[in-house]
Amino acid sequence: MKVAKSCRQCRTAKRKCTLDTVSRSTCTLCAQKGLECSLTRLSSTRPKPIAPAAMASESSTKVNGVSRNQIIDIYIERIHDKPHTLFHPATLKSRVQAGALPEPVLFSILALAARLSSDQDIRERAYDLFQTAKESFKRTLDEVTLDNVHAATLIGNLCGVEGDASGESLFFGIAFRMALILRLPEPSPEDDSIMKEMKIRTYWSLYMIDQWSSAGLDVPRQISDTSENPLPMPELEYWQLRPGEQRMRTTAKDHDPGLWGYMVILARIFGKIHELHKRLANGDLTDSQTEEHTRVLALQLERFAQNLPSNVAHTKDNLEHHAMLGLGATFVALHLGYHHYSTLLYFHYLDSTVSQVPNQNLFAARCKYHAAAFSDLLNLSNGIAGCEAVYFIVSHMTVISSSALLHTLLFGEPSELPDTRRRLSSNFQILLKLKQYWPDVNMMITRLFTFQEACMRSTDQVYVVDKWIVKFLLQHALPIEKNLRPPATDYLAERDKFAEDALSILRPVRLE
């Protein structure tokens, strides 16, 4: 007879069951909810959890036989400089090796990177590392430091991948408030060039996170949009800075921005797209006003792409060149963002009932183009070493690209179907891969099934864009309810067979 590894409550809720570090006799979920835990009578036979101090000591050498430094390398190579840019890589490594990195930061990094390890034991410890990071952060919560800004930011990301929307919002909020108290990105007189740039990058990471999380959680933004602060410098220049070095850089126009600088410029446009969608959902705009706002934002996106330096433009040669420099995944992140934001901007015009809008066909075609371009780049990047996009938010972006492609599969011309099927299959392979790393990818996949059902309940062979679709496009951290409409026509039901065939790869296998 097998010994239960999780309590009844956690098994019912399909949550990972971990022993509470305070009581040692009940699991964390039951302790939080004040429930009687079925593990209480088993706790005497369970192994004691590793205390933070002991785990810190262990982490100074190895984590389950894998070098701690190897896990830090995974974080730098596969996560850092993609969804956020918080550290100077060489300085981060030296602090880890010297044991000078605070526990909340260390364990947050280990918890994120452990999920991407090739070692199964390390992946299984990711959740426990996450819990240790949270507990150690709570002990230093009243210390307003740059390290704690980083810790809160990383823990917010970890909450997001676990599907804890409230925790994500809470820890991001703490990071935002601490950053404001510290007056980021203003430097202190004693800061060297590394610290100055680190503060700039931390500020803009929080700005980017605020743009995404406010949309994903449907809450107000907290980091103001300003062009007064300097953009992040080119990554290679930053990496080459040495401790104690002083490099004068006082304005935003002192240098050409790095890849992350261009991401910031894109994020500003995304903020405006978000506002447009909110106004559209609230019925604040007429069709002609919506078209005008879309046209203005479309021009901004076009100018952004046109004004990129030739070595930053989206070409395969540039991708391979950046990969050689160790910047391949960051380069991919920039251009995936561009195609994702463009898909969001034009998604409204897939609704062909907006026929009175002169640019409806043009904007709908652009939506399809950018959804396809996103898919093609994502597929290409996965075949080039050092270019893979494996951070969590890629799953949401891939679902949006797949939704536009799925719409084409259901409502597009017959000539569009072969390439659309191929791209959907490629996207779904990526989602299945991401699902191995990040628990909440399952929710993202569920949203795609829900979108398909909503399309099937459309009438007159079109999909009508409304408040529901705005939630679907932007509120990626929140559950999406089903959009109930009349059932599909016979024509659409026939097309849905194609969609069902494409989606079958994502559906869980039922055991008979």
Side-chain angles (χ1 to χ4, degrees), residues 14-214:
K14 297 183 179 180
R15 289 278 300 273
K16 186 176 180 66
C17 189
T18 56
L19 202 62
D20 182 59
T21 56
V22 177
S23 68
R24 300 291 181 90
S25 63
T26 182
C27 77
T28 303
L29 178 64
C30 291
Q32 290 173 347
K33 296 188 175 183
L35 301 173
E36 181 180 355
C37 184
S38 62
L39 287 181
T40 300
R41 60 181 179 275
L42 300 173
S43 60
S44 60
T45 63
R46 270 197 161 199
K48 297 293 184 183
I50 301 174
M55 191 176 276
S57 175
E58 178 188 359
S59 293
S60 64
T61 53
K62 292 185 177 182
V63 179
N64 275 18
V66 175
S67 166
R68 169 211 57 194
N69 294 332
Q70 287 179 281
I71 304 177
I72 297 295
D73 286 340
I74 291 173
Y75 169 77
I76 291 173
E77 293 168 7
R78 310 194 75 183
I79 299 176
H80 191 251
D81 280 344
K82 288 79 177 178
H84 57 250
T85 177
L86 303 173
F87 306 104
H88 181 258
T91 301
L92 174 64
K93 287 185 177 183
S94 65
R95 290 185 73 190
V96 171
Q97 291 167 359
L101 193 67
E103 285 185 9
V105 184
L106 173 62
F107 288 115
S108 296
I109 292 174
L110 294 177
L112 275 172
R115 299 176 185 278
L116 301 174
S117 172
S118 58
D119 188 297
Q120 180 66 28
D121 291 336
I122 291 295
R123 290 201 300 273
E124 290 178 354
R125 289 196 63 184
Y127 187 81
D128 291 332
L129 290 165
F130 167 40
Q131 293 301 319
T132 303
K134 278 204 298 187
E135 291 303 318
S136 59
F137 177 76
K138 290 174 184 177
R139 292 193 293 272
T140 63
L141 181 59
D142 58 348
E143 298 175 14
V144 183
T145 64
L146 186 61
D147 280 327
N148 264 356
V149 172
H150 292 161
T153 301
L154 295 169
I155 293 170
N157 275 280
L158 286 162
C159 288
V161 305
E162 290 289 344
D164 181 4
S166 297
E168 179 184 3
S169 182
L170 174 64
F171 283 99
F172 282 158
I174 293 171
F176 298 153
R177 182 57 61 183
M178 285 189 176
L180 293 172
I181 294 172
L182 291 171
R183 301 289 189 269
L184 293 186
E186 293 179 13
S188 300
E190 67 275 13
D191 289 346
D192 62 8
S193 290
I194 288 177
M195 181 57 69
K196 290 175 182 176
E197 181 67 15
M198 195 182 303
K199 288 181 175 179
I200 290 170
R201 287 175 171 267
T202 299
Y203 171 83
W204 285 121
S205 292
L206 294 176
Y207 173 82
M208 181 83 77
I209 288 169
D210 194 25
Q211 295 280 357
W212 275 87
S213 67
S214 62

Side-chain angles (χ1 to χ4, degrees), residues 349-369:
Y349 291 94
L350 292 180
D351 176 1
S352 60
T353 61
V354 194
S355 55
Q356 65 272 32
V357 175
N359 286 317
Q360 187 269 327
N361 288 331
L362 172 64
F363 290 163
R366 287 182 179 179
C367 181
K368 293 181 179 182
Y369 166 78

